Amino acid sequence: MAKFVGKSKLNAAVFISGRGSNLRSLINYSKKKLSPIKIVLVVSSNKEAQGLNYAKMNNIKNIVVIYKNIPKAEKKLLDTLVKYKIQLICLAGFMKILSKKFLLKFKGQILNIHPSLLPNYKGLHTHKRVIENKEKFTGCTVHLVNSCLDSGKIILQKKIKILRKDNENSLTKKVLKLEHQLYPKAIVKFLSNR
Ligand code: GRF
């Protein structure tokens, strides 16, 4: 962490599609003196996303990008990212796939958080599948984004034990709490190793 003291913070954008609890935790973290990032932009693929309220409450520039026409949507996205001099993109519940062309422009600069111990349980409904398979452990992962779903280099993971009384709902809550702790730590680790 000491590495960032006195250095200016990196401009970060957070991409969301819904609830935005990871966005909220990243905003809170980014306000800390020792945080290496400043969130200057929030992008939502959904105009009804609850998470947009956190951006508004914190006076963070926010845009809604409708993915009806993908090239058009990504053009708007890229123009805005350039305008706000974005150096790091954090996906947090963003439900759209970014094109290879887009990924190339931000190669090695896009992180995602996923609610499982990758490489296990890529994709959706992780907690349901984990319970169905009677797994003993689960957790969450922050990884670099590449063109294969939930498959980029793993930055950091956090593991918890699944209790007999756990169900999809209780796991969702427990893992989400872990995610809020993991994402800031993973960002620090990622930036320290660059
Ligand atoms: C989180 O579980 C995250 O891991 C997954 O989508 C969910 C987003 O939750 N990619 P929130 O919008 O941050 O509350």
Side-chain angles (χ1 to χ4, degrees):
M1 262 253 218
K3 226 174 158 180
F4 300 106
V5 177
K7 284 194 181 175
S8 60
K9 296 187 178 195
L10 241 60
N11 286 343
V14 182
F15 287 20
I16 61 165
S17 295
R19 182 177 49 197
S21 69
N22 277 288
L23 167 65
R24 185 185 53 198
S25 108
L26 287 176
I27 292 175
N28 290 339
Y29 170 68
S30 71
K31 288 180 185 166
K32 295 189 176 166
K33 204 173 162 205
L34 282 182
S35 155
I37 59 159
K38 179 172 191 254
I39 298 172
V40 295
L41 179 68
V42 170
V43 172
S44 173
S45 64
N46 165 15
K47 69 176 174 27
E48 310 290 348
Q50 207 187 314
L52 280 169
N53 294 323
Y54 300 125
K56 290 172 190 161
M57 273 156 40
N58 288 281
N59 294 318
I60 299 172
K61 167 76 186 173
N62 52 91
I63 60 162
V64 175
V65 177
I66 302 298
Y67 266 72
K68 264 193 185 153
N69 173 329
I70 296 177
K72 206 171 151 193
E74 286 198 340
K75 165 89 174 70
K76 176 175 174 183
L77 205 45
L78 278 171
D79 288 349
T80 316
L81 293 170
V82 169
K83 181 170 170 201
Y84 286 87
K85 300 189 169 56
I86 298 302
Q87 296 160 292
L88 180 74
I89 296 174
C90 300
L91 307 185
F94 185 64
M95 301 300 283
K96 299 289 171 190
I97 304 284
L98 297 165
S99 73
K100 282 190 179 165
K101 197 174 149 199
F102 183 94
L103 294 177
L104 263 181
K105 297 229 161 118
F106 280 89
K107 197 161 188 262
Q109 291 174 281
I110 310 178
L111 299 177
N112 181 42
I113 187 152
H114 183 77
S116 80
L117 293 172
L118 290 174
N120 299 330
Y121 299 98
K122 296 173 183 173
L124 296 174
H125 311 299
T126 55
H127 305 307
K128 183 170 181 274
R129 288 185 284 141
V130 157
I131 294 277
E132 278 167 5
N133 290 343
K134 301 193 181 359
E135 296 286 358
K136 292 202 163 51
F137 294 93
T138 188
C140 49
T141 305
V142 172
H143 64 95
L144 265 167
V145 174
N146 64 14
S147 57
C148 299
L149 185 71
D150 302 327
S151 298
K153 185 180 170 213
I154 291 173
I155 308 294
L156 207 57
Q157 290 187 309
K158 181 114 184 142
K159 185 173 170 180
I160 48 161
K161 202 168 173 359
I162 301 175
L163 308 177
R164 251 202 254 152
K165 61 178 183 194
D166 273 323
N167 54 36
E168 189 184 346
N169 200 22
S170 68
L171 271 195
T172 306
K173 284 189 186 148
K174 284 184 193 176
V175 173
L176 201 58
K177 226 171 162 185
L178 283 190
E179 291 182 36
H180 300 159
Q181 299 161 11
L182 187 75
Y183 218 159
K185 285 187 188 150
I187 290 171
V188 170
K189 183 179 177 203
F190 172 65
L191 295 175
S192 307
N193 292 340
R194 278 215 304 192

